[in-house]
Amino acid sequence: MVRVALASLTAFLAVMAIFTATHAVSSEPAGDRIEQASVLVETGGVTVWTAPQPGWVRPAPDHAFTPTEVSPGSRQQPLRLRLLDQQKSIAGPRPITVTRMVAEVVNRFGVQGASVYTFEIPRETARFFLLEADIVRDGERLDRLADLAVSAGAAQSFDGQIMVGVDQVILRVPGVQPGDFVALTYATVMEVPEGAIARSAFVEPPAMEGADHVRLSLRAPGDAKIRTLAPFEALSETSRLGAIERVYVDGPFTSRDRLADQPAWRLANGAVSASMMTDWEAISSWAQGHYRPDVTAEVEALAASIAAEHPLEEDRIAAALFWVQREIRYFAEVLGASGYTPQSVSETLRLREGDCKAKTLLLISLLDAMGVEAGAALANTTLGPGLDQFAPSVGAFDHVIVTLERNGKRYWLDPTLFEQAGRLDAIGQADYGKVLIADGSDALHDVEISYDRPLVSASDQAVLIAEGDGFTGRIETTLTFHGPAADSIRVLDALAGREATLASLRELAVGERFAFNQLVSPVTLAYDEANNTVTAVVDAEVSLVQGNAASNGASFFALVFGLAPVDPPSGGSRTAPLALTWPFHARHEATITLDGPGLAGVEPFEVARSNAAFDQSITLKRSGNRLDMTAEVRMTGRELAPAQFRTVAADQIAAMDELTVKLGGDAPMVLSRGDTAVFANASAFGDPFSFDVQRTAGVYYAARPPQRRTPRR
């Protein structure tokens, strides 16, 4: 339906505002442009322009105006979107998107939907041109441009943390009748901000269904840098009016559903990124100018107070980061130039608020006042590991963080996160995959972070007694979270409250592996702020039951979180890679003491394996009626290619057997993933400790709110 399509188109225009940026506008007449423009209407503080259709815009396909054959008594859609044609151009001094839509009113119920259209345009960064508003009736074209009812106003999008300035334009087409075709052609022309970099464009399939014909194309000079993100390959390439034109979609289109465990930086439907820049150097130098330290008297006083409390430089760095995270609440105004440049340090301190740009500039200034050199790094919170797929553009970034070097090691500090803890080497650092350091660099920088211990450690001390069909007893489990895992527990505690946090940790330690009876003592939670660790102790009475202990035995599972990726779909037809939990390193030690039979068939062993997804080691030792088990897993990459599924899945299945100790019984044990809750849970892709609510990361250049995800257990 047209209304659904228009909602998608509005979002698409917002994406255009995000990914299109910047170089100072040339006054030389050259390339694609909108010419002979005049004001169509000025209302509500908004100007809507009109102009003749440019000669470089291709005509619509003729079949878009072929009437639908309606059989008497048949069910028909009242309104059909016949054409969505988006032609983007960076062949002129400004990026332009020209969109044509053709809607057919099949019956009277479709008149309303074909008569009203709403558009939202980023204020101060784009101009809106209405090029065509026609009704085609019985093959005759009726121009309705002069008869339109146009309403416009300055709309505000506000979600409590970010305010986005947009102009809203509502068009009402008079006289629409059943059987009509309504054809609208409009253009958005990006107004390049002061001090900008280069014109660019991002072409992406629309998130919509139902158009009979979709055509997406890009026009650019021959020297433009164009990067294609598979599977969005060009169907054709021609040279027309002095520019290269590539057509990517030309016909019926159905978007692919994104798989839940597909890496965010691998776009399900692909895209095209184009820019007039050849490398990242100009962006890096431009950003460097925005993030030079601004050491005001207030900054000096604040830095002095931090330094007085922390004699060591490394502790001063950490304390300055925590102060900005704690004392400056997140709030962003993406209104014109404010979406590109940080507000002043003085304003940030006065308001005690700011977005990622403001927080980054404040932290850089505080560190400079303490004699620590630091800079900014531009990042993308979702597409970061895949930034090298994009042509160089300011629009590739939606976030900014602080980076510095100390004793030969580079640190990545995110002042927008929920308040962290720890000495400098223990802080959970911001790993966005690839970033652009604002120091004049001509290339992206790989973020490389290592931690001196596992992010998650578990230690079991269990005493089990054979009883009936299984075992009963007591287990004390100590869970230790370090670095970013500790940050996640800290956020969960603040968000959900202590009671819910303790219940989640109890379930994590006991609930997946045992039938829980009762706690021996309340679950405890302890914070070691200096080392950035959180430790929980769960002491519980439990039962271990699986089948008949006399024949099948009962099973004790060593709990290694984030075990491995799930199997590929049946038939091996999947072509998209799988996202891996990253960074992830877990270690589990378990000591089991049995009172009664149950260890007769248990043999000691050691195993180590390495594949494209993880490195793993498992050791089982036996001494009398005591078992000691150690298991460790470390993810070795961010994603797994389809060609590697089979090998990793085989290793995962083998590890399931090795992580399971059979207690009692004399029959062979056959494990089933579907029946084994802990492995079904552990093999799911989400990291159980990625409570990403702390990443209410400010939008760096984007006219969109930050993404938030609900914490998962």
Side-chain angles (χ1 to χ4, degrees):
M1 300 292 287
V2 170
R3 286 190 178 276
V4 175
L6 282 176
S8 298
L9 289 175
T10 300
F12 202 68
L13 291 174
V15 171
M16 177 65 183
I18 295 168
F19 283 95
T20 306
T22 66
H23 197 358
V25 177
S26 169
S27 61
E28 299 177 5
D32 297 349
R33 60 179 65 240
I34 302 292
E35 298 181 305
Q36 302 177 19
S38 59
V39 174
L40 178 66
V41 64
E42 288 183 298
T43 179
V46 177
T47 301
V48 178
W49 300 80
T50 188
Q53 286 214 45
W56 54 269
V57 175
R58 299 173 65 199
D62 292 339
H63 61 76
F65 298 97
T66 303
T68 298
E69 294 185 10
V70 180
S71 301
S74 64
R75 295 184 61 184
Q76 295 287 341
Q77 289 181 314
L79 189 64
R80 292 180 60 191
L81 183 61
R82 303 300 300 271
L83 175 70
L84 172 65
D85 182 6
Q86 289 189 325
Q87 304 177 47
K88 296 196 175 188
S89 174
I90 57 171
R94 293 177 175 86
I96 302 176
T97 298
V98 176
T99 302
R100 170 172 288 174
M101 291 176 13
V102 175
E104 181 188 10
V105 185
V106 178
N107 60 40
R108 187 166 299 282
F109 286 99
V111 169
Q112 177 69 25
S115 300
V116 182
Y117 301 82
T118 302
F119 307 92
E120 289 187 347
I121 314 299
R123 191 187 318 145
E124 299 183 25
T125 60
R127 295 171 73 187
F128 180 72
F129 293 80
L130 188 59
L131 307 181
E132 172 193 36
D134 288 351
I135 290 177
V136 178
R137 181 177 299 158
D138 298 327
E140 181 182 357
R141 186 175 292 271
L142 308 174
D143 187 349
R144 288 288 188 262
L145 191 63
D147 300 325
L148 293 176
V150 182
S151 303
Q156 294 293 342
S157 174
F158 179 63
D159 74 343
Q161 284 191 315
I162 184 169
M163 184 166 64
V164 180
V166 294
D167 290 335
Q168 186 177 71
V169 179
I170 301 173
L171 305 180
R172 306 196 304 279
V173 183
V176 177
Q177 299 179 9
D180 286 350
F181 293 87
V182 178
L184 291 180
T185 304
Y186 54 92
T188 52
V189 179
M190 303 308 297
E191 294 295 322
V192 183
E194 183 70 24
I197 310 261
R199 60 191 189 274
S200 62
F202 190 77
V203 183
E204 185 178 22
M208 57 161 288
E209 306 291 347
D212 290 357
H213 193 115
V214 175
R215 185 169 65 185
L216 303 176
S217 61
L218 170 69
R219 286 171 50 80
D223 58 348
K225 191 176 184 69
I226 299 177
R227 302 293 297 272
T228 301
L229 287 67
F232 202 56
E233 301 293 339
L235 301 176
S236 63
E237 179 178 308
T238 57
S239 178
R240 193 167 67 93
L241 299 177
I244 302 297
E245 181 179 281
R246 291 177 174 86
V247 178
Y248 295 94
V249 178
D250 197 2
F253 174 79
T254 301
S255 62
R256 303 183 185 188
D257 290 335
R258 179 176 188 82
L259 300 176
D261 51 12
Q262 185 172 339
W265 54 92
R266 306 295 183 192
L267 303 180
N269 293 285
V272 173
S273 174
S275 174
M276 293 305 299
M277 303 182 66
T278 57
D279 59 38
W280 300 92
E281 181 178 4
I283 299 174
S284 177
S285 298
W286 171 79
Q288 185 179 25
H290 287 298
Y291 293 97
R292 300 192 188 282
D294 181 13
V295 182
T296 64
E298 190 173 1
V299 168
E300 284 187 335
L302 178 57
S305 67
I306 293 174
E309 294 181 15
H310 303 279
L312 297 179
E313 182 181 82
E314 62 188 62
D315 293 338
R316 293 174 179 178
I317 295 171
L321 170 67
F322 304 153
W323 191 94
V324 176
Q325 290 174 335
R326 179 182 66 251
E327 300 295 337
I328 306 299
R329 72 181 181 91
Y330 178 81
F331 187 81
E333 278 187 66
V334 186
L335 305 173
S338 66
Y340 294 83
T341 59
Q343 72 184 11
S344 69
V345 164
S346 297
E347 188 73 355
T348 301
L349 290 173
R350 183 182 74 83
L351 296 173
R352 283 296 197 270
E353 70 178 26
D355 60 7
C356 57
K357 303 185 298 297
K359 283 171 165 268
T360 289
L361 180 57
L362 175 57
L363 180 56
I364 289 172
S365 302
L366 277 173
L367 294 176
D368 185 79
M370 292 188 289
V372 178
E373 183 178 353
L378 310 185
N380 191 300
T381 53
T382 55
L383 305 177
L387 278 180
D388 56 347
Q389 302 175 85
F390 294 85
S393 166
V394 170
F397 306 103
D398 67 356
H399 192 43
V400 61
I401 61 176
V402 174
T403 184
L404 59 91
E405 278 193 290
R406 187 175 182 278
N407 298 330
K409 180 178 179 180
R410 182 167 288 278
Y411 295 88
W412 310 94
L413 309 178
D414 192 341
T416 308
L417 297 182
F418 183 82
E419 185 181 358
Q420 297 177 286
R423 298 188 178 95
L424 183 60
D425 283 334
I427 293 173
Q429 296 187 56
D431 186 354
Y432 293 113
K434 296 180 185 296
V435 299
L436 182 64
I437 299 177
D439 61 356
S441 303
D442 62 359
L444 298 171
H445 193 105
D446 288 312
V447 176
E448 296 178 352
I449 299 172
S450 62
Y451 295 95
D452 59 357
R453 69 190 75 175
L455 300 183
V456 181
S457 299
S459 176
D460 285 331
Q461 299 289 326
V463 177
L464 302 175
I465 303 171
E467 185 176 282
D469 290 340
F471 294 83
T472 61
R474 176 177 174 181
I475 184 169
E476 182 178 273
T477 299
T478 301
L479 298 170
T480 304
F481 307 92
H482 175 64
D487 293 341
S488 297
I489 297 299
R490 190 178 295 105
V491 170
L492 179 64
D493 202 13
L495 179 71
R498 181 59 55 90
E499 183 178 350
T501 301
L502 296 179
S504 296
L505 293 171
R506 188 203 74 187
E507 184 70 14
L508 188 63
V510 177
E512 296 284 358
R513 298 184 290 162
F514 302 93
F516 170 72
N517 294 334
Q518 64 180 356
L519 289 173
V520 175
S521 58
V523 179
T524 63
L525 192 64
Y527 290 90
D528 180 347
E529 301 292 354
N531 293 303
N532 196 20
T533 61
V534 179
T535 302
V537 178
V538 180
D539 192 355
E541 293 180 358
V542 297
S543 297
L544 184 62
V545 180
Q546 182 165 316
N548 187 310
S551 58
N552 296 327
S555 298
F556 173 86
F557 303 111
L559 190 57
V560 175
F561 309 107
L563 174 65
V566 294
D567 284 340
S570 60
S573 60
R574 175 173 176 143
T575 58
L578 293 169
L580 297 177
T581 301
W582 180 264
F584 191 79
H585 180 194
R587 180 180 174 87
H588 190 158
E589 298 176 344
T591 297
I592 310 167
T593 302
L594 286 187
D595 184 356
L599 293 182
V602 178
E603 298 293 338
F605 72 90
E606 291 186 12
V607 64
R609 60 174 51 83
S610 180
N611 55 45
F614 60 86
D615 290 332
Q616 188 173 54
S617 63
I618 305 171
T619 301
L620 179 66
K621 297 179 181 180
R622 176 182 171 185
S623 177
N625 66 342
R626 170 175 163 166
L627 293 178
D628 290 286
M629 189 176 195
T630 301
E632 191 163 2
V633 63
R634 183 196 301 267
M635 292 300 178
T636 55
R638 298 178 187 275
E639 66 180 32
L640 184 67
Q644 300 164 327
F645 288 169
R646 188 179 300 277
T647 300
V648 171
D651 281 350
Q652 180 191 27
I653 292 169
M656 287 172 58
D657 275 322
E658 294 152 359
L659 290 168
T660 304
V661 179
K662 177 187 173 184
L663 304 176
D666 53 15
M669 182 182 298
V670 179
L671 295 180
S672 166
R673 273 215 277 197
D675 297 333
T676 310
V678 62
F679 291 115
N681 180 64
S683 62
F685 267 85
D687 175 358
F689 307 105
S690 287
F691 305 112
D692 280 348
V693 291
Q694 77 267 39
R695 295 198 175 184
T696 52
V699 177
Y700 183 51
Y701 295 121
R704 65 178 181 186
Q707 294 185 346
R708 297 198 202 93
R709 281 176 280 180
T710 304
R712 294 170 292 135
R713 195 175 61 196

